[in-house]
Amino acid sequence: MYWSRTLIPTMKETPEGAEIPSHVLMLRAGLVNQVMAGAYTYLPLGLRSLRKAERIVREEMDAAGAVELLMPALTPLSLWEQTGRVAAFGDVLIQFAVKRQNRKVHMALGPTHEEVITDLVAHQVSSYRQMPITLYQVQTKFRNEERPRFGVLRTSEFLMKDAYSFNPSVASLDESYEAMYGAYCRIFDRCGLDYLAVEAESGPIGGDASHEFMIPAENGEDTLAHCPNCGYAANLERAEVGARDVVPPDATMVKVQTVDTPGVGSIAQVCNLLGCRAEEMIKTLIYVADGRPIAVLLRGDREANEGKIRRAVGAERVELADPDVIQKVTGAPVGFAGPVGMKEDIPLWADRDLLAMRNCVTGANKADAHLTGVNLGRDFQIAQDHFADLRNAAQDDPCPRCSSTLNLRHAIEVGHVFKLGTKYSDALGARFLDEHEQLRTIIMGCYGIGINRIIAGLIETSHDAAGIIWPVALAPYEVTLVPLKVTDPETREAAERLHDELAALGVDVLLDDRDARAGVKFNDADLVGIPLRVVLGPRGLKEGNLEIKWRWDSEPQMIPLAGAAGRLAEMLGQERAEATLFRGRTGRVG
């Protein structure tokens, strides 16, 4: 391809509204163009990289035994009603009605495709002999993002690979899950991503049944806990906190006192009024677990983890109680609950941090009042089996797998594999006859990859002040040829000949045939991030040499012009397959 024959609208300045490096660079390098908030046109360079990521995904999914199909983005709303997800998605689900003859037909644009694929399998799979099977597609998804931002990382329209496994048993699901997990690792390795496979919240089957694939990045919207010593990694929803010192401090228990705190219900407000610290307070949260109220006690500076609470209490659903329930069980409005003297006798659960607390401040279970000098064991009791890890992990918490500590890191999620169990197959009647002619429910797994996020995540963590730094595998073009004096017939002829030779060898080559200064061409090549730059100058050609430079190297090198096409193709082929030079580059970000 010749630069003058395609569309590469590069920009010198940072576009208005672009907040993070990947967004800035995708706009400046001419990869995308914003149509409206949350919707982008992929320009030729951006589309080429997107298609390369898509091809890698397809190759590894096929190699893992998955079978591709294509489902419509347009779906009947009735499917979503059967699974209860119209209400669950709320405004995120883009739904509308169209007029067909004399009736209205209610539809939705698919934000995901569990309903459609399960309905298909319910009608087409009826025997254990037809399973296991994993079906996948690469399809556009639609979600009504209230606040689209960060370029293609958070949009209303995006490209996703979603796969679904259908299994006759849990053991079969485990095998499908492992196959997809392995495929995901190979996909992200081939794409050159610096990623972590982190433990995530389990599905209905339980156990270690969910993993997210995260790219650690300063501007990531997710948070993960990572131990650099043993490699343990989990998202904040799942991350465990290791063993904690439970020896109470050597402090005399003081007398409980009631203090007036008019209109002061938050931790920060109480600390400011009473001159105490958040870690000296007991935060009492009232939850409803499967319809029954419970109290969860945390240190004042900690955040509750509802997934951990749900698992600890053995509930299917846990949610914060509404103000009426809080008033009923505590006798106080929101902000004044405490473990001492609740109006109703409800189960108390406590995070393990409370075992090391003395002389605490907590709500008095009446309006505008708190208690000081509260102590576990003397003033309130908690059953031994009601202590658990109930909070979000924090920076420098003990690692649950070794003696080191956890680091909290921002990250970009690019993939997720998890076990769905029978939630959708139950709702949509996906059943089969087993080997004993008994009717059973199909067990499902779900596996998603954000194709756009691969591209944006790579750029977010692989760039410098000059622009993008692509691995060969994802670069829109693998090599750019830069003739220094394109108007010189001999230079242009040599550049065009090398272009044709490289193209014939299967190399994605871009010839910058613009009549522009060398600095302009070099700057654009760096901005776009082409991995290998080849400079053809009149002096070098007379000496029979070419100047080549990898995008991540600081200095160029010279190679002979004779046989250059074959040598360049070999270098690029090796780097495309192994990414050794790209992975060893200096100045990595994220």
Side-chain angles (χ1 to χ4, degrees):
M1 176 59 69
Y2 286 35
W3 195 294
S4 63
R5 299 177 190 175
T6 186
L7 179 63
I8 309 176
T10 58
M11 306 182 206
K12 291 183 179 179
E13 304 298 328
T14 298
E16 183 178 353
E19 301 177 64
I20 63 174
S22 58
H23 189 193
V24 170
L25 291 170
M26 290 185 79
L27 290 170
R28 285 193 57 216
L31 272 61
V32 296
N33 180 72
Q34 183 171 317
V35 179
M36 65 176 186
Y40 289 83
T41 295
Y42 276 80
L43 302 177
L45 291 184
L47 185 61
R48 288 180 67 87
S49 288
L50 194 71
R51 291 291 180 247
K52 287 187 175 185
E54 190 178 327
R55 184 170 67 244
I56 290 171
V57 169
R58 278 197 168 94
E59 289 172 357
E60 293 300 337
M61 291 298 293
D62 292 345
V67 181
E68 186 174 7
L69 45 64
L70 182 62
M71 293 174 276
L74 194 63
T75 66
L77 192 66
S78 59
L79 282 178
W80 302 88
E81 291 171 338
Q82 289 181 64
T83 60
R85 291 217 289 177
V86 173
F89 270 111
D91 291 339
V92 172
L93 184 67
I94 299 176
Q95 54 175 299
F96 50 90
V98 298
K99 186 175 180 181
R100 288 186 174 174
Q101 297 180 342
N102 294 319
R103 63 191 179 93
K104 282 187 175 181
V105 179
H106 295 272
M107 303 179 182
L109 293 175
T112 181
H113 274 74
E114 283 87 355
E115 282 80 359
V116 178
I117 194 73
T118 308
D119 183 63
L120 168 70
V121 169
H123 288 89
Q124 301 299 332
V125 174
S126 58
S127 169
Y128 74 97
R129 293 185 178 88
Q130 295 171 274
M131 296 183 287
I133 188 169
T134 298
L135 303 171
Y136 82 94
Q137 67 169 349
V138 178
Q139 173 62 294
T140 302
K141 310 289 187 183
F142 298 88
R143 297 181 185 178
N144 181 32
E145 283 283 354
E146 289 192 6
R147 193 186 175 199
R149 60 192 301 229
F150 293 167
V152 304
L153 282 176
R154 188 170 179 179
T155 56
S156 296
E157 178 181 339
F158 55 95
L159 189 65
M160 183 177 178
K161 187 286 302 175
D162 49 324
Y164 309 89
S165 65
F166 298 88
N167 304 86
S169 66
V170 173
S172 174
L173 173 60
D174 290 342
E175 292 177 358
S176 296
Y177 185 89
E178 289 303 317
M180 288 298 99
Y181 183 98
Y184 274 40
C185 291
R186 292 189 294 274
I187 287 167
F188 299 132
D189 283 338
R190 288 181 59 185
C191 289
L193 299 180
D194 293 323
Y195 69 94
L196 289 172
V198 309
E199 294 179 17
E201 185 66 9
S202 301
I205 293 290
D208 294 327
S210 181
H211 289 85
E212 291 173 346
F213 292 80
M214 299 278 206
I215 304 172
E218 182 179 341
N219 293 303
E221 289 192 292
D222 291 298
T223 303
L224 62 87
H226 177 237
C227 175
N229 183 53
C230 70
Y232 171 79
N235 68 12
L236 204 57
E237 185 181 28
R238 181 70 184 184
E240 304 169 36
V241 179
R244 286 170 263 175
D245 182 5
V246 297
V247 178
D250 185 15
T252 303
M253 293 188 189
V254 300
K255 183 180 178 180
V256 176
Q257 293 185 339
T258 302
V259 293
D260 292 331
T261 54
V264 174
S266 72
I267 297 290
Q269 289 172 331
V270 174
C271 289
N272 185 56
L273 179 66
L274 301 183
C276 61
R277 296 175 300 164
E279 54 265 39
E280 296 171 329
M281 292 192 65
I282 295 176
K283 181 191 299 184
T284 304
L285 302 173
I286 308 301
Y287 282 91
V288 176
D290 291 344
R292 298 171 301 162
I294 63 171
V296 174
L297 311 181
L298 306 170
R299 207 172 80 180
D301 60 336
R302 302 305 192 188
E303 296 299 323
N305 184 305
E306 292 187 6
K308 293 180 179 180
I309 294 168
R310 177 180 56 79
R311 289 192 297 274
V313 305
E316 290 187 5
R317 182 180 177 84
V318 166
E319 58 187 351
L320 282 169
D322 61 39
D324 289 341
V325 172
I326 294 172
Q327 180 79 46
K328 180 173 181 283
V329 301
T330 70
V334 175
F336 298 95
V340 181
M342 282 192 180
K343 189 174 181 180
E344 293 189 0
D345 184 16
I346 63 173
L348 300 182
W349 290 80
D351 183 74
R352 297 188 189 281
D353 285 342
L354 262 70
L355 292 166
M357 297 179 69
R358 279 289 181 268
N359 299 324
C360 306
V361 178
T362 186
N365 289 317
K366 63 179 182 179
D368 299 330
H370 279 74
L371 300 179
T372 62
V374 172
N375 285 278
L376 170 65
R378 184 193 68 181
D379 305 311
F380 67 97
Q381 305 291 331
I382 294 180
Q384 187 66 31
D385 60 354
H386 278 208
F387 286 97
D389 176 11
L390 302 179
R391 66 170 173 84
N392 285 341
Q395 179 68 30
D396 297 326
D397 269 339
C399 174
R401 301 290 186 267
C402 73
S403 59
S404 188
T405 57
L406 297 174
N407 287 336
L408 294 192
R409 309 175 68 179
H410 291 295
I412 298 167
E413 181 186 345
V414 288
H416 194 178
V417 294
F418 56 101
K419 298 178 181 178
L420 287 174
T422 61
K423 175 180 178 179
Y424 297 97
S425 46
D426 277 334
L428 296 166
R431 298 179 176 85
F432 71 101
L433 290 174
D434 66 13
E435 60 269 34
H436 305 296
E437 295 297 311
Q438 297 295 311
L439 192 63
R440 296 173 54 195
T441 303
I442 295 173
I443 302 174
M444 293 175 58
C446 179
Y447 319 94
I449 289 178
I451 308 290
N452 317 73
R453 281 176 164 258
I454 291 177
I455 301 303
L458 186 285
I459 296 172
E460 190 66 31
T461 56
S462 184
H463 65 268
D464 59 16
I468 302 168
I469 302 176
W470 289 108
V472 171
L474 290 185
Y477 289 95
E478 298 170 328
V479 57
T480 180
L481 306 182
V482 183
L484 293 182
K485 192 174 182 181
V486 75
T487 55
D488 175 59
E490 292 184 4
T491 302
R492 185 179 183 93
E493 182 183 348
E496 292 178 346
R497 183 169 59 251
L498 183 57
H499 169 277
D500 295 345
E501 291 173 350
L502 287 168
L505 292 171
V507 173
D508 288 333
V509 55
L510 178 66
L511 171 57
D512 191 343
D513 60 332
R514 296 175 296 171
D515 185 11
R517 299 190 312 274
V520 171
K521 295 185 176 184
F522 291 171
N523 288 340
D524 277 349
D526 284 347
L527 175 60
V528 171
I530 307 300
L532 188 61
R533 186 185 75 196
V534 178
V535 177
L536 299 93
R539 179 181 301 177
L541 291 175
K542 287 181 180 179
E543 297 173 352
N545 292 319
L546 297 174
E547 178 189 288
I548 68 171
K549 179 182 173 295
W550 290 104
R551 173 65 178 83
W552 44 81
D553 284 345
S554 58
E555 299 296 331
Q557 57 181 299
M558 305 299 292
I559 66 168
L561 176 61
R567 181 175 178 183
L568 292 172
E570 182 180 357
M571 293 167 59
L572 289 163
Q574 183 174 352
E575 183 63 15
R576 186 189 309 123
E578 301 174 2
T580 303
L581 300 177
F582 175 78
R583 292 189 183 281
R585 71 195 186 283
T586 58
R588 301 163 103 175
V589 296

